[in-house]
Amino acid sequence: MLSAYRTGVVSLSRTSLQTTTKRVFHSSKPAAQSSSTAANPIASFPKTHPFAFQLIVATGKTSAADIMCQVVAERKKWDEIDWKRNGIFVVFGFAYLGGFQYYLMITKYRQWFPTMDRFAKLPFAEKLKDTAGMIDAVKMVLFDVIIHLPCIYFPTYYTVKEFVGGKSYNPIDWVTDGVTKYSKNMKEDLTAMIKLWGPSDCIQFVLPLHIRMPFRHLVSFFWTAYVSFTRGNFEDNVEAEK
């Protein structure tokens, strides 16, 4: 009887020890993960704060692209930089590219194209097998190059340009003057747009969601430099009115 009692005590002690070890082992995983995130907050920032990250990138990138264009392409000295012109790109980069474009391509696309989240998480090989996801991705590309860029992006850019550099304080004049100038440049603008954003969109809309907007802003750096060089100068307004 004494032997049976000792055997029971030893068995109970082992079971208790194993249970305690398992609890400690499992509880250490979240702690390790949270400490890893805390130790590397900068690297995790784009994924944990996607909107704020791409807003910073959009604003800084747009301003930097215009400055690069003025200094490198137009060979201006730093004291000759047109900061009023640069202000167009700061306002446009923050409000439209960083704000509205995120709302459109993440929030609204999620509603309009229901496979977006699931499709974005799949490995590339699995994406090719996902017919519904591929169809929605094609729809996103077509919406961007047929509706968004020609009908929303360009009219907004020209309106912001009139807001920053125009002589009128009437918002109606900003819109009408901006759209008038856009109509004169439409063929050239849309040709350049489809050459760049058509192929770029085909890549963007198969990327993970938290990478899509930063990728778009990276491509947009070169696009902004083009727009700055061809459409940034306020002197263009005078030429367009002649």
Side-chain angles (χ1 to χ4, degrees):
M1 186 172 181
L2 181 59
S3 176
Y5 173 76
R6 288 175 178 174
T7 301
V9 170
V10 172
S11 177
L12 180 62
S13 299
R14 288 177 179 174
T15 302
S16 176
L17 180 60
Q18 291 174 353
T19 303
T20 304
T21 303
K22 288 180 180 179
R23 287 176 179 173
V24 172
F25 177 75
H26 287 300
S27 64
S28 65
K29 285 186 177 181
Q33 292 173 354
S34 61
S35 63
S36 175
T37 302
N40 206 358
I42 297 178
S44 62
F45 185 79
K47 195 168 185 177
T48 55
H49 302 84
F51 174 73
F53 175 71
Q54 64 85 39
L55 186 65
I56 294 169
V57 171
T59 307
K61 168 269 307 179
T62 311
S63 175
D66 173 61
I67 292 174
M68 182 194 73
C69 183
Q70 293 194 50
V71 173
V72 177
E74 300 172 21
R75 300 184 181 278
K76 291 181 178 179
K77 297 179 180 179
W78 282 96
D79 58 354
E80 297 174 337
I81 291 177
D82 186 345
W83 293 108
K84 189 176 182 181
R85 161 181 158 179
N86 189 256
I88 299 173
F89 294 95
V90 171
V91 172
F92 189 70
F94 177 84
Y96 187 90
L97 300 181
F100 173 76
Q101 200 167 236
Y102 183 91
Y103 167 77
L104 176 67
M105 293 192 168
I106 300 296
T107 305
K108 298 308 293 182
Y109 272 25
R110 183 175 281 128
Q111 297 175 4
W112 298 336
F113 309 109
T115 66
M116 186 179 78
D117 286 284
R118 175 182 57 76
F119 184 74
K121 296 175 183 177
L122 294 175
F124 183 74
E126 294 298 320
K127 284 183 169 74
L128 296 177
K129 302 175 184 177
D130 188 344
T131 303
M134 290 292 288
I135 291 174
D136 272 355
V138 171
K139 290 179 181 178
M140 293 179 205
V141 174
L142 294 176
F143 181 89
D144 192 38
V145 299
I146 294 176
I147 298 176
H148 169 226
L149 291 171
C151 304
I152 304 175
Y153 169 87
F154 275 116
T156 304
Y157 167 75
Y158 280 95
T159 300
V160 170
K161 185 176 180 181
E162 291 303 312
F163 162 69
V164 175
K167 298 179 180 179
S168 174
Y169 292 96
N170 187 342
I172 297 177
D173 290 338
W174 304 338
V175 176
T176 54
D177 292 347
V179 172
T180 299
K181 292 179 176 63
Y182 170 46
S183 65
K184 294 179 180 179
N185 299 324
M186 181 178 291
K187 183 178 180 180
E188 184 180 350
D189 287 346
L190 296 186
T191 300
M193 175 271 292
I194 197 66
K195 287 180 179 178
L196 176 66
W197 289 110
S200 171
D201 280 356
C202 292
I203 298 173
Q204 176 187 340
F205 293 120
V206 298
L207 294 174
L209 288 183
H210 69 283
I211 300 177
R212 288 188 183 183
M213 296 311 296
F215 171 79
R216 188 176 184 88
H217 296 321
L218 175 64
V219 177
S220 180
F221 178 87
F222 301 98
W223 172 255
T224 302
Y226 162 78
V227 174
S228 172
F229 186 71
T230 59
R231 303 287 178 255
N233 287 326
F234 289 109
E235 288 80 1
D236 292 343
N237 294 350
V238 179
E239 294 297 326
E241 291 168 1
K242 289 181 180 180

